[in-house]
Amino acid sequence: RKEVEQDPGPFNVPEGATVAFNCTYSNSASQSFFWYRQDCRKEPKLLMSVYSSGNEDGRFTAQLNRASQYISLLIRDSKLSDSATYLCVVKAVRDGGSQGNLIFGKGTKLSVKP
Amino acid sequence: NAGVTQTPKFQVLKTGQSMTLQCAQDMNHEYMSWYRQDPGMGLRLIHYSVGAGITDQGEVPNGYNVSRSTTEDFPLRLLSAAPSQTSVYFCASSPWGVSYYEQYFGPGTRLTVT
């Protein structure tokens, strides 16, 4: 089983739609979770961190379910500018500590159409 | 601040040639890393460093060397280029020792090996 798995996509949605991305991770000791956004031919950039209680940033809501090892990202009222690839990211944990490298999912491509 | 800079942006090499991809950051980050991104494979960690003089291997280190003589610079050396190393290479930096942090990426180097 891959360490971080995402919906393969692509997701093609009309403007104004609500779209949800899902992600699962295999290491139950993982402690930090993120969603990154990558525009075509650009570098990844942090969209939002994902906290245990869930968190919201404008039209974006992230949820974490530690028991199911599942992370989600909900985008409401999609805009054309939301078109990008969304990467689920989990921090690997080393030696029982809290530090480690980031493990990236392969990403889910979103296209928002007029 | 310039953030994370990478040079060159594009490079074409012949099989067997060697070269160094440059990466620099001006945010005084302890952690620096190199990833390669291939279609359908996502971002894979090549090498990383948690401070000057300290480097370690990531998921796909073969064929690459790194060194970290200063906090700012983290060059990646291709020893003898192979077509399988055709990829987009991203350098990234972040703080180290905290649970949640943003990893900042450079703009990438697109490398083609013929």
Side-chain angles (χ1 to χ4, degrees), chain A residues 55-100:
Chain A
N55 47 297
E56 188 173 304
D57 183 2
R59 298 181 293 108
F60 299 84
T61 301
Q63 297 280 351
L64 170 64
N65 184 323
R66 285 188 183 271
S68 302
Q69 294 178 210
Y70 171 92
I71 307 161
S72 66
L73 176 68
L74 185 76
I75 305 176
R76 291 181 300 277
D77 189 23
S78 300
K79 312 289 185 194
L80 297 177
S81 57
D82 294 333
S83 297
T85 297
Y86 291 83
L87 308 174
C88 177
V89 184
V90 174
K91 187 169 72 171
V93 176
R94 301 188 308 172
D95 304 326
S98 63
Q99 297 312 312

Side-chain angles (χ1 to χ4, degrees), chain A residues 31-34 36 38 41-46 49-51 87 91 94 98-102 104-106, chain B residues 10 31 35 37 40-43 45 48 50 56 90 96-103 105-108 110:
Chain A
Q31 296 183 4
S32 304
F33 311 89
F34 311 86
Y36 275 69
Q38 186 173 24
R41 301 181 73 83
K42 297 286 191 181
E43 71 272 23
K45 292 185 179 177
L46 179 67
S49 302
V50 187
Y51 302 112
L87 308 174
K91 187 169 72 171
R94 301 188 308 172
S98 63
Q99 297 312 312
N101 298 307
L102 298 184
F104 287 77
K106 293 181 181 179
Chain B
F10 301 93
Y31 181 88
Y35 296 87
Q37 187 173 36
M41 296 297 293
L43 282 156
L45 183 65
Y48 65 97
V50 299
D56 207 345
F90 289 104
W96 184 250
V98 296
S99 294
Y100 277 90
Y101 52 82
E102 177 170 359
Q103 190 156 100
F105 285 81
R110 294 183 177 275

Side-chain angles (χ1 to χ4, degrees), chain B residues 11 15 18 20 22 28 32 52 56 58 67 71 76 78 83 89 93 104 107:
Chain B
Q11 183 70 49
T15 298
S18 63
T20 299
Q22 301 292 344
N28 203 32
M32 295 186 75
D56 207 345
S67 60
T71 299
L76 177 73
L78 279 70
Y89 291 85
S93 77
Y104 294 86

Side-chain angles (χ1 to χ4, degrees), chain B residues 9-78:
Chain B
K9 284 189 168 53
F10 301 93
Q11 183 70 49
V12 179
L13 289 179
K14 293 188 187 307
T15 298
Q17 287 183 316
S18 63
M19 79 159 296
T20 299
L21 307 185
Q22 301 292 344
C23 174
Q25 53 95 5
D26 62 359
M27 297 172 281
N28 203 32
H29 286 161
E30 303 95 330
Y31 181 88
M32 295 186 75
S33 55
W34 277 101
Y35 296 87
R36 59 178 289 173
Q37 187 173 36
D38 304 294
M41 296 297 293
L43 282 156
R44 292 183 292 168
L45 183 65
I46 304 171
H47 285 285
Y48 65 97
S49 167
V50 299
I54 306 168
T55 63
D56 207 345
Q57 296 181 351
E59 181 186 353
V60 288
N62 292 342
Y64 308 94
N65 271 357
V66 292
S67 60
R68 183 100 180 266
S69 56
T70 67
T71 299
E72 294 79 19
D73 300 298
F74 191 44
L76 177 73
R77 280 183 290 278
L78 279 70

